[in-house]
Amino acid sequence: KQMPAFLSYQTDAKSSVKDGTLAVGMAQWELAREEPNWFLVGPVYPYVDKGTHLSANGYRWFGQMLGKVYHQVAVERRHWQPLAPRRATVEGKEVLIDYHVPHPPLAFDRPYLGHVARPVKQKGFVLLDEKGEVPLSDVEIVADTIVRLRAAREPVGQLRIRYASHQSGGAGQLRDSDPTLADAHYEYLPDKGMQALENVPELVGKPYPLHNWSIAFDIPAELQSR
């Protein structure tokens, strides 16, 4: 009599990519926007992993994210949208991306690639036009919900923005400022078979931070109207 809430994640681009596109991740985002009872919690690229799959702590970490969003939609009866772009505009060499941000302001951070927090080239952003990839000279947060990209040359024809795509290793550095902490802690249990690389000093024994990271996307930039 009452439809359930479906809580899903966005598949990592490095394991779902076909011909360098973000078709799978974009379809998952589209489903959540079209179906009122389907919620895209977020991506899984920021969490500790062992390659294609997350590690034990990575799955527990994202499990806490699922619980956070479940509480909001099923208990508090509030809608949920992940950190995602609302619109991108271009004027000359400057691109502005306006985001839906669950907890402003936006921030750059380092996702865990493997079990090490690492930077991502160009913060995970790639610009493409009719000539191919457009080099970036700068990527910065210029307002609570806006990221500005500066191209190193004038774009030609239709400009597209990709984030956390195959070109960026399926990851990026953009998150919000959600202060929520999990009620579970990162565990390192060598006697249970955990490898030495899973001993991450800045995480062990501490609650998982539950920031909302930007989903991966591939969107066109609109010409800025004057």
Side-chain angles (χ1 to χ4, degrees):
K1 293 182 179 180
Q2 184 177 3
M3 284 296 290
F6 291 90
L7 303 178
S8 63
Y9 66 93
Q10 188 183 46
T11 311
D12 194 331
K14 70 175 181 287
S15 55
S16 66
V17 64
K18 182 179 181 181
D19 301 327
T21 73
L22 276 169
V24 174
M26 290 294 288
Q28 292 167 329
W29 183 27
E30 180 182 5
L31 175 62
R33 286 181 292 169
E34 291 182 350
E35 296 296 329
N37 60 318
W38 197 287
F39 303 95
L40 181 61
V41 174
V44 292
Y45 65 75
Y47 311 110
V48 286
D49 67 73
K50 53 184 180 180
T52 302
H53 300 286
L54 301 181
S55 62
N57 273 288
Y59 281 117
R60 292 178 73 233
W61 194 342
F62 190 69
Q64 295 286 306
M65 283 290 296
L66 290 167
K68 181 186 76 171
V69 175
Y70 168 82
H71 181 80
Q72 178 168 318
V73 302
V75 179
E76 297 179 342
R77 299 292 179 175
R78 294 190 293 124
H79 188 57
W80 167 259
Q81 295 181 58
L83 174 54
R86 291 186 289 209
R87 185 187 182 206
T89 58
V90 57
E91 183 174 10
K93 297 180 181 179
E94 183 175 286
V95 179
L96 295 177
I97 311 170
D98 178 38
Y99 284 84
H100 165 75
V101 185
H103 285 266
L106 290 168
F108 287 132
D109 202 347
R110 295 186 178 193
Y112 280 89
L113 306 178
H115 286 80
V116 179
R118 306 176 191 271
V120 181
K121 182 182 178 182
Q122 299 179 156
K123 303 291 195 299
F125 290 93
V126 174
L127 286 182
L128 300 166
D129 68 1
E130 293 180 4
K131 286 189 173 182
E133 185 170 341
V134 181
L136 287 172
S137 60
D138 195 21
V139 178
E140 59 182 334
I141 296 168
V142 293
D144 284 359
T145 64
I146 297 176
V147 170
R148 179 169 62 197
L149 311 179
R150 291 188 186 275
R153 64 167 172 81
E154 288 286 342
V156 178
Q158 177 64 65
L159 187 67
R160 300 194 67 83
I161 304 113
R162 285 182 180 174
Y163 174 81
S165 65
H166 183 65
Q167 294 100 315
S168 303
Q173 292 187 230
L174 189 65
R175 64 162 174 82
D176 73 354
S177 298
D178 191 334
T180 307
L181 295 176
D183 58 8
H185 295 68
Y186 187 104
E187 296 184 358
Y188 175 56
L189 305 170
D191 58 329
K192 300 295 184 180
M194 284 190 172
Q195 301 177 21
L197 55 80
E198 297 179 79
N199 183 11
V200 184
E202 69 268 23
L203 295 176
V204 173
K206 298 176 182 177
Y208 302 108
L210 300 183
H211 302 117
N212 302 296
W213 291 71
S214 174
I215 63 166
F217 60 83
D218 180 347
I219 61 172
E222 307 168 17
L223 287 175
Q224 179 66 54
S225 57
R226 295 182 180 274

